[in-house]
Amino acid sequence: MPSCLFCRISAGEIPAKAIYQDADVVAFEDINPQAPLHCLLIPRKHIATLNDLTPDDAALVGALHYRAAQIARERGYADGGYRTVFNCNADAGQTVFHIHLHLLAGRRLGWPPG
Ligand code: 5GP
Ligand code: ZN
């Protein structure tokens, strides 16, 4: 989707600090990090919100979570812990309408989140 920020990052049209990419998934640093590691993992496919997932997208969401765990492990956070978050729509604070999995690590994370 040409007007979508994260589609444009996926296409390389807008720069981002890349962490990982393959044919289906792109991971990059959040521009406004909320923890020492704050990574966003997105599908290359444009999906606006979790509400828009279809059964065919299940493996893709699994791939985002699998890759988040791999990145956390590579960065040394597997044992200490980390958090993954999808925000969906206004009450959760979603601001970019292309699904993205936040991966946060490197500090004690409060619970419940605000
Ligand atoms: P949301 O609030 O939708 O769950 O998260 C959107 C995230 O995207 C925020 O954490 C925000 O800092 C990040 N973000 C917004 N614009 C950009 C950008 O242009 N580049 C990068 N790398 N992150 C962005
Ligand atoms: Zn998009």
Side-chain angles (χ1 to χ4, degrees), residues 71-87:
I71 292 168
R73 181 172 298 284
E74 287 165 11
R75 300 287 173 109
Y77 296 115
D79 292 337
Y82 56 91
R83 183 169 295 161
T84 56
V85 178
F86 279 111
N87 292 321

Side-chain angles (χ1 to χ4, degrees), residues 5-6 9 28-32 38 40 87 93-96 100 102:
L5 174 63
F6 285 175
I9 286 178
F28 53 91
E29 293 179 16
D30 196 292
I31 203 167
N32 182 24
H38 188 172
L40 301 175
N87 292 321
Q94 183 176 3
T95 58
V96 179
H100 46 282
H102 293 259

